[in-house]
Amino acid sequence: MDSVLAEILTIADELLRTEKESPRAPKIRAEDMALGFDLSLPATGKSEAEVLDLLRQVVKRTPKTSGRRFFNQLFAGRAPMATAGEMLASLLNSSMYTYKVGGPNILLEWELSKKMCSCAGFKDGDGTFLPGGSLANLVGMVLGRNRALPGFREKGAQGKRLTMYVSTNGHYSVRKNAGLIGIGRENCIDVAVDENGRMDPAALQRQIERDLKEGALPAVVIATSGTTVRGSFDSIPDLADICQKFGLWLHIDGAVGGTLLLHPQYRDFLTGSERADSLTWDAHKMMGIPLTCSALLVKDPEILFDSFKEVADYLFQADSDHLNPGNRSIQCGRRNDALKLWTAWQRLGDEGWAQRIEKQMSLSRYAAKRISQHPKLVLCEQPSFITVGFYVPGKSSAEICEQLHVSGEAVIGYGDYGEHQAIRLVTMNPEVSEAEIDALLEAAVATAAALPAAAVTST
Amino acid sequence: MDSVLAEILTIADELLRTEKESPRAPKIRAEDMALGFDLSLPATGKSEAEVLDLLRQVVKRTPKTSGRRFFNQLFAGRAPMATAGEMLASLLNSSMYTYKVGGPNILLEWELSKKMCSCAGFKDGDGTFLPGGSLANLVGMVLGRNRALPGFREKGAQGKRLTMYVSTNGHYSVRKNAGLIGIGRENCIDVAVDENGRMDPAALQRQIERDLKEGALPAVVIATSGTTVRGSFDSIPDLADICQKFGLWLHIDGAVGGTLLLHPQYRDFLTGSERADSLTWDAHKMMGIPLTCSALLVKDPEILFDSFKEVADYLFQADSDHLNPGNRSIQCGRRNDALKLWTAWQRLGDEGWAQRIEKQMSLSRYAAKRISQHPKLVLCEQPSFITVGFYVPGKSSAEICEQLHVSGEAVIGYGDYGEHQAIRLVTMNPEVSEAEIDALLEAAVATAAALPAAAVTST
């Protein structure tokens, strides 16, 4: 084992060096990926050296999500020491259902929950960590479902039609979850947004009133703090007023934007969060924690137990309920996603997170400025967050993205900004320099110049 | 970063040495855990050296699930090189929704799905990897729910009462999932078991007929391949006959037992698996892959798309649907749990897995033999799998387990075997020697001798 670990360190060093020195990585087509190395599973095992060679191939060919030309996603880069904590968590291989098995990792997960609840204004709140924002949203929706119709967990819908509400710019997991938890995708209702991409509170209220009139049971509003494409933040106070008036559960999908609660000024984007019932906050997005690390925070600490507790005598045998988070999780065996976040927090402190956010936000402002000054580029809107939409008039944004990927200049995607399909630059990785933003923009312009005029650039 | 990685290697080496040389680890009470080191999250970041010191403390105090005195759980130990693959996956930080981001890891996940489907007899099947067996069971149950009432995903239950069936010895996640997916916990019906802990097919048929008469819509049978405590395997052919007769979905919860499909003889425990519709198989249990690594395999490859596909233009922009597994997952961002399993499979090959299983099974037979020969111990039943129940007459099994933990002799739990609450020895880690099994049994006897007679030892 020791010798393997030493080899892994060598592979890791090589990866980090490549990321730093040659961030460009041309696309490898799926049909070419396996050329020269065999991915299939053997009947007879290979030697350590042979397997290490295979791992070198996989590492070499894997897209570098921490490279400085990766602008594609709402995650990128690495928070200092987070990966170190993650590697040790892999080796310790704790399951986070009981204190008996998880030991100090259960306690440090608590510290994270408490701190994040305190940021959200959930004074006596609690949290549960989940593998991804989609599942964190699912838990928030289940909690609201169960509160709206208390027998739902035991008996199902009992003939009632529950409805949930999310803006047209909200994340697709909300609709998917409605299908999973027995609400029905049709009963997850899209609410119109204003010109800034924020849910229109008047439209929400009208929709709730209409559904009530039709005999439905409106149950949950999902406010989005940081929409996926445009980075919009719904007005939480406005939605909280409506939820209060009609008795609905308010869940905030802050998968990407929740992190702003760690910044003294930008936390205002989530003003009113203390009025919500639950909040999704992904630490693997803006905080640079290795995938996945999602918190679902709740104001009422009992509600997680009420919704997920089961009798499992074989498992919950020692220590108090609170020390056994398996009692309030949708999982049984659960990976230790806490240690990596805790490690990075020790290194950065609250102040370090604020600086990281500052850098991410300033990079998007820089990109917007450069785009708006550029004669060949059009900025879709002033970004208030960390996604920047722009396009090259007369050229297909989708095609530019594809060609940038093929040439290895950048990994970047596109999205709908109003009537335009635009290149969507995510300024997620704070290691990216302003010069690299400039280089990306020039590469996009040069790539566009080589493309034929597009028949349609609008959506 | 390089210097941190080197330090992590040192911590890892120390951990592996301690595990090997001093596998005993006395229990640390929660109230004593934080003595001498501060778990709280600082406002100002600490130095690299300070954080590394904290990590050393956490590692030192974390229960050693790969230590040779850990018999507590249905996971333990490490498959060769799996942790190496896991550490690289952490560093690569791929998200497994698209080929654009995941690259070769998407392809090697395919290889795993194909191979595992082939073991199960799902000739043209497909798979999806999930963070844990509970969620894999959830997916199997959702698929069956949607087939039983095709509009469920879109509209919910529409006034119908769907029912699902699992044996009284099945895993608690099945009931929990019934509450999550809108079926209702009450509609997840416990079916009696025979004296070997296997679901009684006649009882199942009677229950289905009763529910039909009452107007319910029987939807899914969950067969358990390896129950949590006694390690029983339901008879798949008998349950498949009933499912066929009444048109029910057959899901196999093979979270622990699915691995036997890799052994030329023991695969007979799952005879008939090809008649099931879906199968849960945790590679983090018998295969020794770091948590979590669960596969949900399906016979019909289209059904995952049908149940989970959503429109997400911002995400699914390149390559074919099949190269973008986010289209058939309940998650969006998803950790790369494939590389670690693929790495171990390269090292071991099919043959290596079979040898590993052989060792796990022979250890349980050895333990049973030693217990039945021991004048002070009673064996509950001949184990057919890798859990061995035994007790010390007149003494509390729960108290013996607690004292073994306190003294550091072993981490082990108890469970119900018929009328006895028994110590439940799991022979999961193939690194455990027969001498260590002997030492555990002697420690249990010595610990029991020091305890007062228990008022009640039966359940």
Side-chain angles (χ1 to χ4, degrees):
Chain A
M1 184 74 186
D2 305 0
S3 66
V4 173
L5 282 185
E7 284 290 331
I8 292 299
L9 188 69
T10 315
I11 298 177
D13 272 342
E14 171 69 17
L15 167 63
L16 297 175
R17 202 178 51 73
T18 309
E19 263 180 25
K20 200 169 175 183
E21 295 172 9
S22 332
R24 287 178 192 73
K27 175 178 183 172
I28 305 173
R29 294 183 310 162
E31 51 270 43
D32 300 333
M33 181 55 85
L35 291 179
F37 84 124
D38 182 7
L39 286 165
S40 69
L41 300 165
T44 304
K46 298 186 175 119
S47 71
E48 234 170 62
E50 287 171 310
V51 179
L52 285 165
D53 274 348
L54 281 171
L55 282 174
R56 275 188 203 95
Q57 294 291 329
V58 172
V59 168
K60 200 170 140 189
R61 294 167 196 225
T62 297
K64 304 294 173 288
T65 63
S66 296
R68 295 187 320 282
R69 293 300 183 106
F70 185 84
F71 303 101
N72 200 64
Q73 233 72 38
L74 292 174
F75 74 93
R78 302 184 185 93
M81 298 190 74
T83 307
E86 174 75 332
M87 287 179 164
L88 288 177
S90 301
L91 201 64
L92 288 170
N93 203 31
S94 308
S95 187
M96 299 291 274
Y97 31 44
T98 61
Y99 175 79
K100 186 177 182 184
V101 173
N105 301 283
I106 303 290
L107 304 185
L108 58 86
E109 190 176 64
W110 262 9
E111 291 290 334
L112 292 165
S113 284
K114 274 195 299 183
K115 180 79 175 194
M116 293 165 91
C117 276
S118 136
C119 293
F122 294 172
K123 275 195 189 115
D124 305 305
D126 193 11
T128 180
F129 278 77
L130 289 132
S134 292
L135 289 170
N137 283 340
L138 183 141
V139 167
M141 291 165 72
V142 166
L143 298 177
R145 181 199 76 175
N146 292 357
R147 202 187 60 175
L149 186 64
F152 210 116
R153 185 178 187 221
E154 300 307 321
K155 295 173 191 297
Q158 306 156 68
K160 296 278 195 308
R161 184 169 75 88
L162 273 66
T163 50
M164 304 197 175
Y165 305 87
V166 66
S167 94
T168 52
N169 287 2
H171 191 253
Y172 77 90
S173 63
V174 173
R175 184 171 304 277
K176 185 194 272 185
N177 289 335
L180 281 166
I181 67 173
I183 295 300
R185 292 172 75 248
E186 288 179 4
N187 298 316
C188 173
I189 294 162
D190 279 349
V191 179
V193 294
D194 65 18
E195 71 279 8
N196 295 312
R198 300 183 303 190
M199 191 192 288
D200 174 358
L204 171 65
Q205 173 153 347
R206 283 195 303 274
Q207 184 65 46
I208 291 173
E209 287 166 344
R210 200 175 305 140
D211 293 333
L212 280 169
K213 210 172 288 176
E214 290 177 2
L217 179 55
V220 180
V221 171
I222 294 98
T224 310
S225 289
T227 62
T228 313
V229 175
R230 293 177 64 188
S232 309
F233 286 71
D234 291 343
S235 163
I236 299 171
D238 288 338
L239 306 189
D241 285 345
I242 295 171
C243 286
Q244 201 172 324
K245 182 171 175 181
F246 293 95
L248 272 68
W249 182 275
L250 179 57
H251 172 74
I252 301 175
D253 177 2
V256 56
T259 298
L260 294 190
L261 289 167
L262 291 166
H263 191 279
Q265 283 82 49
Y266 294 125
R267 60 171 287 115
D268 291 350
F269 283 41
L270 285 95
T271 289
S273 63
E274 73 286 353
R275 296 182 62 192
D277 299 290
S278 55
L279 168 72
T280 293
W281 176 346
D282 287 357
H284 61 253
K285 291 193 165 83
M286 289 188 79
M287 297 173 86
I289 305 302
L291 290 157
T292 50
C293 187
S294 299
L296 185 278
L297 308 173
V298 291
K299 189 185 278 169
D300 171 6
E302 291 308 309
I303 198 149
L304 289 170
F305 287 101
D306 294 345
S307 282
F308 304 125
K309 188 169 183 174
E310 292 287 342
V311 175
D313 292 336
Y314 80 92
L315 183 60
F316 303 119
Q317 305 189 330
D319 307 303
S320 67
D321 270 1
H322 205 77
L323 281 165
N324 295 325
N327 263 328
R328 51 190 186 279
S329 169
I330 61 167
Q331 298 174 265
C332 174
R334 187 163 60 89
R335 195 168 183 285
N336 178 7
D337 290 332
L339 183 59
K340 55 192 172 186
L341 175 55
W342 182 86
T343 302
W345 212 309
Q346 294 296 335
R347 180 75 183 93
L348 289 178
D350 304 347
E351 295 160 9
W353 292 126
Q355 285 161 17
R356 184 181 172 89
I357 294 162
E358 191 65 51
K359 183 77 196 292
Q360 291 161 322
M361 296 289 265
S362 74
L363 275 176
S364 80
R365 284 195 302 268
Y366 177 82
K369 188 185 74 179
R370 299 296 286 174
I371 291 163
S372 57
Q373 289 168 345
H374 200 293
K376 297 198 171 159
L377 298 174
V378 176
L379 180 69
C380 295
E381 60 187 356
Q382 277 303 327
S384 60
F385 192 38
I386 57 166
T387 57
V388 188
F390 67 99
Y391 60 95
V392 184
K395 299 298 170 82
S396 157
S397 294
E399 194 51 37
I400 294 170
C401 291
E402 174 66 14
Q403 291 307 320
L404 286 170
H405 191 195
V406 167
S407 65
E409 285 294 332
V411 183
I412 190 165
Y414 54 91
D416 291 342
Y417 283 75
E419 61 185 8
H420 288 284
Q421 188 186 70
I423 301 171
R424 170 176 164 262
L425 164 62
V426 188
T427 59
M428 183 57 80
N429 185 348
E431 301 298 316
V432 169
S433 66
E434 294 185 347
E436 278 156 331
I437 298 279
D438 288 341
L440 165 75
L441 298 179
E442 286 313 322
V445 169
T447 301
L451 288 174
V456 182
T457 58
S458 61
T459 54
Chain B
M1 183 74 186
D2 305 0
S3 66
V4 173
L5 282 185
E7 284 290 331
I8 291 300
L9 189 68
T10 314
I11 298 176
D13 272 341
E14 170 70 16
L15 167 62
L16 297 175
R17 201 178 52 74
T18 308
E19 263 180 24
K20 200 169 175 182
E21 294 174 8
S22 331
R24 288 177 191 74
K27 175 179 181 172
I28 304 173
R29 294 184 309 162
E31 50 272 40
D32 301 333
M33 182 54 86
L35 290 179
F37 83 123
D38 182 8
L39 287 163
S40 69
L41 301 163
T44 304
K46 298 186 174 117
S47 72
E48 235 171 62
E50 287 171 310
V51 179
L52 285 165
D53 274 347
L54 281 172
L55 282 174
R56 273 187 204 96
Q57 293 291 329
V58 172
V59 169
K60 201 170 139 191
R61 294 168 194 225
T62 297
K64 304 296 173 287
T65 63
S66 296
R68 296 187 318 283
R69 294 300 183 106
F70 185 84
F71 304 100
N72 199 65
Q73 232 72 39
L74 293 174
F75 73 93
R78 302 185 184 92
M81 298 190 75
T83 308
E86 174 76 332
M87 287 180 163
L88 288 176
S90 302
L91 201 63
L92 288 170
N93 203 31
S94 308
S95 187
M96 300 291 276
Y97 31 44
T98 61
Y99 174 78
K100 186 176 182 184
V101 173
N105 301 283
I106 303 290
L107 304 185
L108 59 88
E109 190 176 64
W110 262 9
E111 292 291 334
L112 292 165
S113 285
K114 273 195 299 182
K115 180 82 176 191
M116 293 166 91
C117 276
S118 137
C119 293
F122 294 172
K123 276 198 188 112
D124 306 305
D126 194 10
T128 179
F129 278 77
L130 289 131
S134 292
L135 289 170
N137 283 340
L138 182 141
V139 167
M141 292 167 71
V142 165
L143 298 177
R145 181 199 74 176
N146 292 356
R147 200 187 61 177
L149 186 65
F152 210 116
R153 186 179 187 220
E154 300 306 322
K155 295 174 191 296
Q158 305 156 71
K160 297 277 197 307
R161 183 169 75 89
L162 274 66
T163 49
M164 303 196 174
Y165 305 87
V166 67
S167 94
T168 52
N169 287 2
H171 191 253
Y172 78 91
S173 63
V174 172
R175 184 171 306 276
K176 186 194 272 186
N177 289 336
L180 280 166
I181 67 173
I183 296 301
R185 291 173 76 247
E186 287 179 7
N187 299 315
C188 174
I189 293 162
D190 279 349
V191 180
V193 295
D194 66 17
E195 69 282 8
N196 294 313
R198 299 182 305 188
M199 191 191 290
D200 174 359
L204 171 64
Q205 174 152 345
R206 283 195 303 273
Q207 184 65 46
I208 291 172
E209 286 166 346
R210 200 174 306 141
D211 292 335
L212 280 169
K213 209 171 289 175
E214 289 177 4
L217 180 55
V220 180
V221 171
I222 294 98
T224 311
S225 289
T227 62
T228 314
V229 175
R230 293 177 64 187
S232 310
F233 286 70
D234 291 342
S235 162
I236 299 171
D238 288 339
L239 305 190
D241 285 346
I242 296 172
C243 287
Q244 202 171 325
K245 182 170 174 184
F246 293 96
L248 271 67
W249 182 274
L250 179 57
H251 173 74
I252 301 175
D253 177 2
V256 57
T259 297
L260 294 190
L261 290 168
L262 291 166
H263 191 278
Q265 283 81 49
Y266 294 125
R267 60 171 287 113
D268 291 351
F269 283 39
L270 285 94
T271 289
S273 62
E274 72 285 353
R275 296 181 62 193
D277 298 290
S278 55
L279 167 72
T280 293
W281 176 346
D282 287 356
H284 62 253
K285 291 193 165 83
M286 290 188 79
M287 297 174 86
I289 305 302
L291 291 158
T292 51
C293 187
S294 299
L296 184 277
L297 308 174
V298 292
K299 188 184 277 167
D300 170 7
E302 290 307 310
I303 197 149
L304 288 171
F305 287 102
D306 293 346
S307 282
F308 305 124
K309 189 168 181 173
E310 291 288 340
V311 174
D313 293 336
Y314 80 93
L315 183 60
F316 303 120
Q317 305 190 330
D319 307 301
S320 68
D321 269 358
H322 206 78
L323 281 165
N324 295 325
N327 264 329
R328 51 189 185 280
S329 170
I330 61 167
Q331 298 175 265
C332 175
R334 188 164 59 90
R335 197 168 183 284
N336 178 6
D337 290 331
L339 184 59
K340 54 191 173 188
L341 175 56
W342 182 85
T343 303
W345 211 309
Q346 294 296 334
R347 180 75 184 93
L348 289 178
D350 305 346
E351 296 160 7
W353 292 126
Q355 285 160 18
R356 184 182 173 88
I357 293 163
E358 191 64 50
K359 182 77 196 293
Q360 291 161 323
M361 297 288 266
S362 73
L363 275 177
S364 79
R365 283 195 303 268
Y366 176 79
K369 188 184 76 180
R370 298 296 284 174
I371 291 163
S372 56
Q373 289 168 345
H374 200 293
K376 297 198 170 159
L377 297 174
V378 176
L379 181 69
C380 295
E381 60 187 355
Q382 277 303 326
S384 60
F385 193 38
I386 57 166
T387 57
V388 187
F390 67 98
Y391 60 95
V392 184
K395 299 299 170 84
S396 156
S397 293
E399 193 52 35
I400 294 170
C401 292
E402 173 66 15
Q403 290 308 320
L404 286 169
H405 191 195
V406 167
S407 65
E409 285 294 332
V411 183
I412 190 164
Y414 54 91
D416 291 341
Y417 283 76
E419 61 185 8
H420 287 284
Q421 187 185 69
I423 301 171
R424 170 177 164 260
L425 164 61
V426 188
T427 59
M428 183 56 80
N429 186 349
E431 302 298 317
V432 168
S433 67
E434 295 185 347
E436 278 156 330
I437 298 277
D438 288 341
L440 166 74
L441 298 179
E442 287 311 325
V445 169
T447 300
L451 288 175
V456 182
T457 58
S458 61
T459 55

